Amino acid sequence: MKTLPLFPVTSVGSWPRPVAVCDAQRQFRRGRLGRNEFDEAADAAVIDLLRLQHDIGCDLVTDGELRRDNFYSFVADKVEGVQLMTLADMLDVVEDKAGFERLLQTLDVPAYSISSPICVGRIARREPLALHDLRFVKRHTDRPVKVTLPGPYLLTRAMFVPELTASSYPSKEDLAEDVVALLRAELDDLRNEGVDFVQLDEPVLSELAFAPGRTRTFMCAALAARKDPAEELDLAVALINRVVDGFDRLRLGLHVCRGNWSRDESTLLSGSYRPLAGYLTRLNVSQLVLEYATDRAGDLLPFDEKEVGLGVVNPRTDTIESPESIVSAVEDALAIYPASRIFLNPDCGFGTFSSRPVNTAATAASKLRAIVAAAGTLRTRYC
Ligand SMILES: [Zn+2]
C-alpha cells in the first residue's frame, strides 16, 4: 500500500461523463458499437481524468466510474443472471405500479433514463467487476488508487425482485449469499493487484434510518423491506462484515449518503448519523466516507477508532466552497478526530447517473482544487 500524506484528498466516486463516453455507452447498449470501441472512448476519458487529478493535486485517485452507467447498474454487464432494466421496465413488473410511479415522481427520478441491475437467474462473475479498470488506472498513474464497489446490501436489495428472482433465489437472504461470495472474490482480486483503497457504497442505509416508513426506493424498486428497519440494518452490517472478513490488510471504507440523484435537496433524505451510529461502529472497515458539507447530515460524530472521509464540499451546488471554509470545517473535526484519521473528499460523487450528472466537470474540478488548497494549509499547521 502506498503512503498517503496527512489529510489525503480524494473523491467519492463518480465524475460527470464526457459527452463522447455517454454517446459511446448509448451506442454500445444498442449494439451499434463494439466493446473495443466503447473501451477506447472510456480509456481516453479516464486518462484525461487522471491527468486532471494529478494537476489538481489529488492524493488518492479514481477512474471517476466513467465506464459505469451508474454506481451499481454496471454489475449487469459483468455478472451472469443479472439483467439491466430501466425503471420504466420495472413499472411493468412491480405489483404496486401506481405507488412506484408516485415514488419516482416524488424522488425526482426519470424512469426511462435510470437503470437497475435485476437478478433473473443464478449469479456468477462473467468477468471481474473492477479489476480490469484498476489495472488500466495503474498503468496511467503512480498515485495511490481508490476503487468503488456497490456494497452487498445495496446490491441484494437492488437485484432482488420477487417476480423475476424467486425462481432462482427464493429469498433475498439466498441471493445475498452469492452476492457476498461475488464481492469477496472481487476484493481478493483487487488486493492482489495492489489496490490502495476500496470503498463500498451503501446509500440505502440512510433510507432505513431516516425514512423507515418508506419501503421502496428507486434503488430497490420492487422489494418491500422488512417492517423493522433495525432488522434490515443488522442484516446490512452482517453482510458487509462477511464481505470484508479476512481482508485486514486492505484499507476499506464504507460510504453512506442521503441521496445524490437530484439537485433538488428537498427530495433527498435528511437526518444525523445518530440512528446509524451503532451499526456503523460495528462495521469492520477502517474508514467511513460521510457527507458533512450538507446541513442535512447533522453533527459530526466519532465512530470508534475509524477514519473519517470527511465530506467538505457539496457535489450538487454551483458555489465553490472557499479553502478557508474547508479548513475551518476540518479544524472543527479535529476536536473529535486526530489529524491522522481525516481524509478530505466531496460529500458524494459528481456524476451518479451518466445521463444525469449532478454537476459539471468544470465545477467539480474547482471544488477539488478548493479541497487541495485547504489540505495544503492544514498540512502546514498540523504536520
Ligand atoms: Zn453518496
PDB file of all heavy atoms in Angstrom, residues 213-244:
ATOM      1  N   GLY A 213     -40.657   4.544   7.134  1.00  0.00           N
ATOM      2  CA  GLY A 213     -41.981   4.219   6.624  1.00  0.00           C
ATOM      3  C   GLY A 213     -41.973   3.916   5.142  1.00  0.00           C
ATOM      4  O   GLY A 213     -42.845   3.246   4.619  1.00  0.00           O
ATOM      5  N   ARG A 214     -40.939   4.407   4.465  1.00  0.00           N
ATOM      6  CA  ARG A 214     -40.868   4.225   3.012  1.00  0.00           C
ATOM      7  C   ARG A 214     -40.160   2.907   2.736  1.00  0.00           C
ATOM      8  O   ARG A 214     -39.022   2.702   3.107  1.00  0.00           O
ATOM      9  CB  ARG A 214     -40.075   5.381   2.411  1.00  0.00           C
ATOM     10  CG  ARG A 214     -40.036   5.369   0.908  1.00  0.00           C
ATOM     11  CD  ARG A 214     -39.031   6.370   0.398  1.00  0.00           C
ATOM     12  NE  ARG A 214     -39.439   7.741   0.679  1.00  0.00           N
ATOM     13  CZ  ARG A 214     -38.616   8.770   0.537  1.00  0.00           C
ATOM     14  NH1 ARG A 214     -37.370   8.581   0.162  1.00  0.00           N
ATOM     15  NH2 ARG A 214     -39.037   9.989   0.783  1.00  0.00           N
ATOM     16  N   THR A 215     -40.839   1.992   2.117  1.00  0.00           N
ATOM     17  CA  THR A 215     -40.243   0.666   1.967  1.00  0.00           C
ATOM     18  C   THR A 215     -39.625   0.465   0.592  1.00  0.00           C
ATOM     19  O   THR A 215     -39.092  -0.565   0.306  1.00  0.00           O
ATOM     20  CB  THR A 215     -41.293  -0.428   2.198  1.00  0.00           C
ATOM     21  OG1 THR A 215     -42.401  -0.151   1.342  1.00  0.00           O
ATOM     22  CG2 THR A 215     -41.735  -0.463   3.627  1.00  0.00           C
ATOM     23  N   ARG A 216     -39.738   1.457  -0.266  1.00  0.00           N
ATOM     24  CA  ARG A 216     -39.177   1.275  -1.598  1.00  0.00           C
ATOM     25  C   ARG A 216     -38.428   2.522  -2.038  1.00  0.00           C
ATOM     26  O   ARG A 216     -38.859   3.635  -1.771  1.00  0.00           O
ATOM     27  CB  ARG A 216     -40.286   0.996  -2.614  1.00  0.00           C
ATOM     28  CG  ARG A 216     -40.915  -0.343  -2.392  1.00  0.00           C
ATOM     29  CD  ARG A 216     -42.101  -0.535  -3.290  1.00  0.00           C
ATOM     30  NE  ARG A 216     -42.584  -1.904  -3.117  1.00  0.00           N
ATOM     31  CZ  ARG A 216     -43.572  -2.426  -3.798  1.00  0.00           C
ATOM     32  NH1 ARG A 216     -44.194  -1.714  -4.693  1.00  0.00           N
ATOM     33  NH2 ARG A 216     -43.946  -3.657  -3.596  1.00  0.00           N
ATOM     34  N   THR A 217     -37.332   2.340  -2.706  1.00  0.00           N
ATOM     35  CA  THR A 217     -36.675   3.462  -3.359  1.00  0.00           C
ATOM     36  C   THR A 217     -36.417   3.025  -4.790  1.00  0.00           C
ATOM     37  O   THR A 217     -36.608   1.862  -5.137  1.00  0.00           O
ATOM     38  CB  THR A 217     -35.326   3.839  -2.724  1.00  0.00           C
ATOM     39  OG1 THR A 217     -34.335   2.956  -3.215  1.00  0.00           O
ATOM     40  CG2 THR A 217     -35.366   3.795  -1.220  1.00  0.00           C
ATOM     41  N   PHE A 218     -35.945   3.946  -5.609  1.00  0.00           N
ATOM     42  CA  PHE A 218     -35.666   3.559  -6.993  1.00  0.00           C
ATOM     43  C   PHE A 218     -34.509   2.576  -7.051  1.00  0.00           C
ATOM     44  O   PHE A 218     -34.316   1.893  -8.043  1.00  0.00           O
ATOM     45  CB  PHE A 218     -35.361   4.798  -7.851  1.00  0.00           C
ATOM     46  CG  PHE A 218     -34.074   5.473  -7.473  1.00  0.00           C
ATOM     47  CD1 PHE A 218     -32.895   5.150  -8.116  1.00  0.00           C
ATOM     48  CD2 PHE A 218     -34.058   6.422  -6.480  1.00  0.00           C
ATOM     49  CE1 PHE A 218     -31.711   5.769  -7.771  1.00  0.00           C
ATOM     50  CE2 PHE A 218     -32.868   7.037  -6.116  1.00  0.00           C
ATOM     51  CZ  PHE A 218     -31.699   6.710  -6.768  1.00  0.00           C
ATOM     52  N   MET A 219     -33.717   2.484  -5.962  1.00  0.00           N
ATOM     53  CA  MET A 219     -32.611   1.531  -5.952  1.00  0.00           C
ATOM     54  C   MET A 219     -33.080   0.148  -5.530  1.00  0.00           C
ATOM     55  O   MET A 219     -32.353  -0.814  -5.625  1.00  0.00           O
ATOM     56  CB  MET A 219     -31.505   2.001  -5.002  1.00  0.00           C
ATOM     57  CG  MET A 219     -30.737   3.185  -5.522  1.00  0.00           C
ATOM     58  SD  MET A 219     -29.460   3.731  -4.394  1.00  0.00           S
ATOM     59  CE  MET A 219     -30.421   4.703  -3.245  1.00  0.00           C
ATOM     60  N   CYS A 220     -34.294   0.058  -5.015  1.00  0.00           N
ATOM     61  CA  CYS A 220     -34.807  -1.211  -4.529  1.00  0.00           C
ATOM     62  C   CYS A 220     -36.246  -1.288  -5.009  1.00  0.00           C
ATOM     63  O   CYS A 220     -37.172  -1.416  -4.229  1.00  0.00           O
ATOM     64  CB  CYS A 220     -34.799  -1.266  -3.019  1.00  0.00           C
ATOM     65  SG  CYS A 220     -33.394  -0.483  -2.285  1.00  0.00           S
ATOM     66  N   ALA A 221     -36.391  -1.201  -6.318  1.00  0.00           N
ATOM     67  CA  ALA A 221     -37.683  -0.903  -6.895  1.00  0.00           C
ATOM     68  C   ALA A 221     -38.809  -1.820  -6.465  1.00  0.00           C
ATOM     69  O   ALA A 221     -39.911  -1.364  -6.216  1.00  0.00           O
ATOM     70  CB  ALA A 221     -37.559  -0.910  -8.402  1.00  0.00           C
ATOM     71  N   ALA A 222     -38.553  -3.089  -6.418  1.00  0.00           N
ATOM     72  CA  ALA A 222     -39.683  -3.978  -6.218  1.00  0.00           C
ATOM     73  C   ALA A 222     -39.579  -4.784  -4.932  1.00  0.00           C
ATOM     74  O   ALA A 222     -40.236  -5.777  -4.757  1.00  0.00           O
ATOM     75  CB  ALA A 222     -39.795  -4.926  -7.395  1.00  0.00           C
ATOM     76  N   LEU A 223     -38.718  -4.331  -4.059  1.00  0.00           N
ATOM     77  CA  LEU A 223     -38.525  -5.125  -2.852  1.00  0.00           C
ATOM     78  C   LEU A 223     -39.060  -4.404  -1.633  1.00  0.00           C
ATOM     79  O   LEU A 223     -38.573  -3.350  -1.262  1.00  0.00           O
ATOM     80  CB  LEU A 223     -37.036  -5.397  -2.651  1.00  0.00           C
ATOM     81  CG  LEU A 223     -36.719  -6.110  -1.341  1.00  0.00           C
ATOM     82  CD1 LEU A 223     -37.228  -7.535  -1.407  1.00  0.00           C
ATOM     83  CD2 LEU A 223     -35.245  -6.088  -1.074  1.00  0.00           C
ATOM     84  N   ALA A 224     -40.049  -4.974  -1.031  1.00  0.00           N
ATOM     85  CA  ALA A 224     -40.521  -4.405   0.222  1.00  0.00           C
ATOM     86  C   ALA A 224     -39.520  -4.795   1.303  1.00  0.00           C
ATOM     87  O   ALA A 224     -39.204  -5.959   1.473  1.00  0.00           O
ATOM     88  CB  ALA A 224     -41.887  -4.961   0.551  1.00  0.00           C
ATOM     89  N   ALA A 225     -39.010  -3.800   2.010  1.00  0.00           N
ATOM     90  CA  ALA A 225     -38.091  -4.100   3.101  1.00  0.00           C
ATOM     91  C   ALA A 225     -38.870  -4.740   4.242  1.00  0.00           C
ATOM     92  O   ALA A 225     -40.085  -4.640   4.306  1.00  0.00           O
ATOM     93  CB  ALA A 225     -37.435  -2.819   3.585  1.00  0.00           C
ATOM     94  N   ARG A 226     -38.144  -5.411   5.119  1.00  0.00           N
ATOM     95  CA  ARG A 226     -38.824  -5.906   6.311  1.00  0.00           C
ATOM     96  C   ARG A 226     -39.395  -4.726   7.058  1.00  0.00           C
ATOM     97  O   ARG A 226     -38.908  -3.601   6.948  1.00  0.00           O
ATOM     98  CB  ARG A 226     -37.816  -6.619   7.202  1.00  0.00           C
ATOM     99  CG  ARG A 226     -37.407  -7.953   6.665  1.00  0.00           C
ATOM    100  CD  ARG A 226     -36.401  -8.564   7.620  1.00  0.00           C
ATOM    101  NE  ARG A 226     -35.853  -9.779   7.051  1.00  0.00           N
ATOM    102  CZ  ARG A 226     -34.768 -10.369   7.505  1.00  0.00           C
ATOM    103  NH1 ARG A 226     -34.111  -9.853   8.517  1.00  0.00           N
ATOM    104  NH2 ARG A 226     -34.342 -11.476   6.960  1.00  0.00           N
ATOM    105  N   LYS A 227     -40.395  -4.975   7.837  1.00  0.00           N
ATOM    106  CA  LYS A 227     -41.048  -3.879   8.538  1.00  0.00           C
ATOM    107  C   LYS A 227     -40.085  -3.178   9.503  1.00  0.00           C
ATOM    108  O   LYS A 227     -40.128  -1.979   9.683  1.00  0.00           O
ATOM    109  CB  LYS A 227     -42.258  -4.396   9.316  1.00  0.00           C
ATOM    110  CG  LYS A 227     -43.399  -4.871   8.416  1.00  0.00           C
ATOM    111  CD  LYS A 227     -44.198  -3.690   7.883  1.00  0.00           C
ATOM    112  CE  LYS A 227     -45.377  -4.119   7.049  1.00  0.00           C
ATOM    113  NZ  LYS A 227     -45.008  -4.744   5.783  1.00  0.00           N
ATOM    114  N   ASP A 228     -39.221  -3.958  10.130  1.00  0.00           N
ATOM    115  CA  ASP A 228     -38.357  -3.406  11.163  1.00  0.00           C
ATOM    116  C   ASP A 228     -37.019  -2.948  10.566  1.00  0.00           C
ATOM    117  O   ASP A 228     -36.208  -3.779  10.174  1.00  0.00           O
ATOM    118  CB  ASP A 228     -38.127  -4.495  12.220  1.00  0.00           C
ATOM    119  CG  ASP A 228     -37.246  -3.984  13.347  1.00  0.00           C
ATOM    120  OD1 ASP A 228     -36.942  -2.767  13.356  1.00  0.00           O
ATOM    121  OD2 ASP A 228     -36.857  -4.811  14.193  1.00  0.00           O
ATOM    122  N   PRO A 229     -36.781  -1.622  10.510  1.00  0.00           N
ATOM    123  CA  PRO A 229     -35.522  -1.151   9.920  1.00  0.00           C
ATOM    124  C   PRO A 229     -34.305  -1.674  10.674  1.00  0.00           C
ATOM    125  O   PRO A 229     -33.255  -1.915  10.069  1.00  0.00           O
ATOM    126  CB  PRO A 229     -35.611   0.371  10.048  1.00  0.00           C
ATOM    127  CG  PRO A 229     -37.018   0.690  10.375  1.00  0.00           C
ATOM    128  CD  PRO A 229     -37.640  -0.528  10.957  1.00  0.00           C
ATOM    129  N   ALA A 230     -34.449  -1.886  12.001  1.00  0.00           N
ATOM    130  CA  ALA A 230     -33.313  -2.373  12.792  1.00  0.00           C
ATOM    131  C   ALA A 230     -32.875  -3.753  12.287  1.00  0.00           C
ATOM    132  O   ALA A 230     -31.681  -4.055  12.212  1.00  0.00           O
ATOM    133  CB  ALA A 230     -33.689  -2.446  14.268  1.00  0.00           C
ATOM    134  N   GLU A 231     -33.853  -4.568  11.919  1.00  0.00           N
ATOM    135  CA  GLU A 231     -33.538  -5.908  11.419  1.00  0.00           C
ATOM    136  C   GLU A 231     -32.787  -5.812  10.076  1.00  0.00           C
ATOM    137  O   GLU A 231     -31.838  -6.546   9.823  1.00  0.00           O
ATOM    138  CB  GLU A 231     -34.860  -6.652  11.199  1.00  0.00           C
ATOM    139  CG  GLU A 231     -34.849  -8.081  11.664  1.00  0.00           C
ATOM    140  CD  GLU A 231     -36.242  -8.675  11.528  1.00  0.00           C
ATOM    141  OE1 GLU A 231     -37.168  -8.186  12.230  1.00  0.00           O
ATOM    142  OE2 GLU A 231     -36.389  -9.582  10.706  1.00  0.00           O
ATOM    143  N   GLU A 232     -33.241  -4.877   9.227  1.00  0.00           N
ATOM    144  CA  GLU A 232     -32.575  -4.667   7.936  1.00  0.00           C
ATOM    145  C   GLU A 232     -31.149  -4.153   8.137  1.00  0.00           C
ATOM    146  O   GLU A 232     -30.224  -4.560   7.449  1.00  0.00           O
ATOM    147  CB  GLU A 232     -33.359  -3.658   7.090  1.00  0.00           C
ATOM    148  CG  GLU A 232     -34.610  -4.214   6.467  1.00  0.00           C
ATOM    149  CD  GLU A 232     -34.318  -5.291   5.433  1.00  0.00           C
ATOM    150  OE1 GLU A 232     -33.556  -5.027   4.486  1.00  0.00           O
ATOM    151  OE2 GLU A 232     -34.840  -6.413   5.582  1.00  0.00           O
ATOM    152  N   LEU A 233     -30.985  -3.231   9.089  1.00  0.00           N
ATOM    153  CA  LEU A 233     -29.647  -2.691   9.346  1.00  0.00           C
ATOM    154  C   LEU A 233     -28.726  -3.775   9.897  1.00  0.00           C
ATOM    155  O   LEU A 233     -27.545  -3.841   9.552  1.00  0.00           O
ATOM    156  CB  LEU A 233     -29.737  -1.494  10.303  1.00  0.00           C
ATOM    157  CG  LEU A 233     -30.270  -0.209   9.638  1.00  0.00           C
ATOM    158  CD1 LEU A 233     -30.732   0.808  10.679  1.00  0.00           C
ATOM    159  CD2 LEU A 233     -29.201   0.420   8.745  1.00  0.00           C
ATOM    160  N   ASP A 234     -29.258  -4.630  10.758  1.00  0.00           N
ATOM    161  CA  ASP A 234     -28.460  -5.762  11.262  1.00  0.00           C
ATOM    162  C   ASP A 234     -28.027  -6.664  10.106  1.00  0.00           C
ATOM    163  O   ASP A 234     -26.889  -7.125  10.062  1.00  0.00           O
ATOM    164  CB  ASP A 234     -29.275  -6.591  12.266  1.00  0.00           C
ATOM    165  CG  ASP A 234     -29.255  -5.975  13.657  1.00  0.00           C
ATOM    166  OD1 ASP A 234     -28.287  -5.247  13.975  1.00  0.00           O
ATOM    167  OD2 ASP A 234     -30.213  -6.206  14.424  1.00  0.00           O
ATOM    168  N   LEU A 235     -28.956  -6.891   9.176  1.00  0.00           N
ATOM    169  CA  LEU A 235     -28.632  -7.718   8.015  1.00  0.00           C
ATOM    170  C   LEU A 235     -27.526  -7.045   7.190  1.00  0.00           C
ATOM    171  O   LEU A 235     -26.561  -7.698   6.773  1.00  0.00           O
ATOM    172  CB  LEU A 235     -29.884  -7.925   7.143  1.00  0.00           C
ATOM    173  CG  LEU A 235     -29.652  -8.611   5.800  1.00  0.00           C
ATOM    174  CD1 LEU A 235     -29.191 -10.060   5.983  1.00  0.00           C
ATOM    175  CD2 LEU A 235     -30.929  -8.588   4.929  1.00  0.00           C
ATOM    176  N   ALA A 236     -27.653  -5.725   6.987  1.00  0.00           N
ATOM    177  CA  ALA A 236     -26.654  -4.989   6.201  1.00  0.00           C
ATOM    178  C   ALA A 236     -25.277  -5.095   6.856  1.00  0.00           C
ATOM    179  O   ALA A 236     -24.279  -5.383   6.181  1.00  0.00           O
ATOM    180  CB  ALA A 236     -27.064  -3.531   6.057  1.00  0.00           C
ATOM    181  N   VAL A 237     -25.218  -4.894   8.163  1.00  0.00           N
ATOM    182  CA  VAL A 237     -23.931  -4.978   8.888  1.00  0.00           C
ATOM    183  C   VAL A 237     -23.343  -6.384   8.738  1.00  0.00           C
ATOM    184  O   VAL A 237     -22.150  -6.544   8.458  1.00  0.00           O
ATOM    185  CB  VAL A 237     -24.118  -4.626  10.384  1.00  0.00           C
ATOM    186  CG1 VAL A 237     -22.862  -4.957  11.183  1.00  0.00           C
ATOM    187  CG2 VAL A 237     -24.481  -3.154  10.538  1.00  0.00           C
ATOM    188  N   ALA A 238     -24.190  -7.397   8.901  1.00  0.00           N
ATOM    189  CA  ALA A 238     -23.701  -8.777   8.811  1.00  0.00           C
ATOM    190  C   ALA A 238     -23.145  -9.055   7.414  1.00  0.00           C
ATOM    191  O   ALA A 238     -22.072  -9.666   7.268  1.00  0.00           O
ATOM    192  CB  ALA A 238     -24.832  -9.758   9.142  1.00  0.00           C
ATOM    193  N   LEU A 239     -23.855  -8.601   6.385  1.00  0.00           N
ATOM    194  CA  LEU A 239     -23.397  -8.864   5.010  1.00  0.00           C
ATOM    195  C   LEU A 239     -22.074  -8.142   4.734  1.00  0.00           C
ATOM    196  O   LEU A 239     -21.151  -8.719   4.154  1.00  0.00           O
ATOM    197  CB  LEU A 239     -24.447  -8.410   3.996  1.00  0.00           C
ATOM    198  CG  LEU A 239     -25.776  -9.178   3.985  1.00  0.00           C
ATOM    199  CD1 LEU A 239     -26.715  -8.586   2.932  1.00  0.00           C
ATOM    200  CD2 LEU A 239     -25.548 -10.658   3.720  1.00  0.00           C
ATOM    201  N   ILE A 240     -21.984  -6.876   5.142  1.00  0.00           N
ATOM    202  CA  ILE A 240     -20.756  -6.110   4.890  1.00  0.00           C
ATOM    203  C   ILE A 240     -19.584  -6.761   5.628  1.00  0.00           C
ATOM    204  O   ILE A 240     -18.502  -6.954   5.065  1.00  0.00           O
ATOM    205  CB  ILE A 240     -20.930  -4.634   5.321  1.00  0.00           C
ATOM    206  CG1 ILE A 240     -21.997  -3.957   4.451  1.00  0.00           C
ATOM    207  CG2 ILE A 240     -19.602  -3.869   5.234  1.00  0.00           C
ATOM    208  CD1 ILE A 240     -22.568  -2.671   5.025  1.00  0.00           C
ATOM    209  N   ASN A 241     -19.816  -7.138   6.884  1.00  0.00           N
ATOM    210  CA  ASN A 241     -18.723  -7.748   7.651  1.00  0.00           C
ATOM    211  C   ASN A 241     -18.301  -9.098   7.079  1.00  0.00           C
ATOM    212  O   ASN A 241     -17.133  -9.471   7.149  1.00  0.00           O
ATOM    213  CB  ASN A 241     -19.107  -7.866   9.128  1.00  0.00           C
ATOM    214  CG  ASN A 241     -18.939  -6.532   9.849  1.00  0.00           C
ATOM    215  OD1 ASN A 241     -18.283  -5.611   9.331  1.00  0.00           O
ATOM    216  ND2 ASN A 241     -19.535  -6.404  11.019  1.00  0.00           N
ATOM    217  N   ARG A 242     -19.231  -9.811   6.490  1.00  0.00           N
ATOM    218  CA  ARG A 242     -18.834 -11.079   5.849  1.00  0.00           C
ATOM    219  C   ARG A 242     -18.009 -10.809   4.583  1.00  0.00           C
ATOM    220  O   ARG A 242     -17.081 -11.536   4.279  1.00  0.00           O
ATOM    221  CB  ARG A 242     -20.077 -11.903   5.518  1.00  0.00           C
ATOM    222  CG  ARG A 242     -20.646 -12.588   6.769  1.00  0.00           C
ATOM    223  CD  ARG A 242     -21.861 -13.392   6.446  1.00  0.00           C
ATOM    224  NE  ARG A 242     -21.587 -14.390   5.431  1.00  0.00           N
ATOM    225  CZ  ARG A 242     -22.534 -14.963   4.685  1.00  0.00           C
ATOM    226  NH1 ARG A 242     -23.798 -14.626   4.853  1.00  0.00           N
ATOM    227  NH2 ARG A 242     -22.215 -15.868   3.797  1.00  0.00           N
ATOM    228  N   VAL A 243     -18.372  -9.760   3.853  1.00  0.00           N
ATOM    229  CA  VAL A 243     -17.604  -9.430   2.644  1.00  0.00           C
ATOM    230  C   VAL A 243     -16.162  -9.082   2.994  1.00  0.00           C
ATOM    231  O   VAL A 243     -15.221  -9.511   2.328  1.00  0.00           O
ATOM    232  CB  VAL A 243     -18.273  -8.260   1.867  1.00  0.00           C
ATOM    233  CG1 VAL A 243     -17.325  -7.703   0.812  1.00  0.00           C
ATOM    234  CG2 VAL A 243     -19.569  -8.719   1.218  1.00  0.00           C
ATOM    235  N   VAL A 244     -15.965  -8.310   4.067  1.00  0.00           N
ATOM    236  CA  VAL A 244     -14.615  -7.799   4.368  1.00  0.00           C
ATOM    237  C   VAL A 244     -13.821  -8.729   5.287  1.00  0.00           C
ATOM    238  O   VAL A 244     -12.643  -8.466   5.553  1.00  0.00           O
ATOM    239  CB  VAL A 244     -14.674  -6.374   4.990  1.00  0.00           C
ATOM    240  CG1 VAL A 244     -15.415  -5.427   4.060  1.00  0.00           C
ATOM    241  CG2 VAL A 244     -15.322  -6.376   6.370  1.00  0.00           C
TER     242      VAL A 244
END
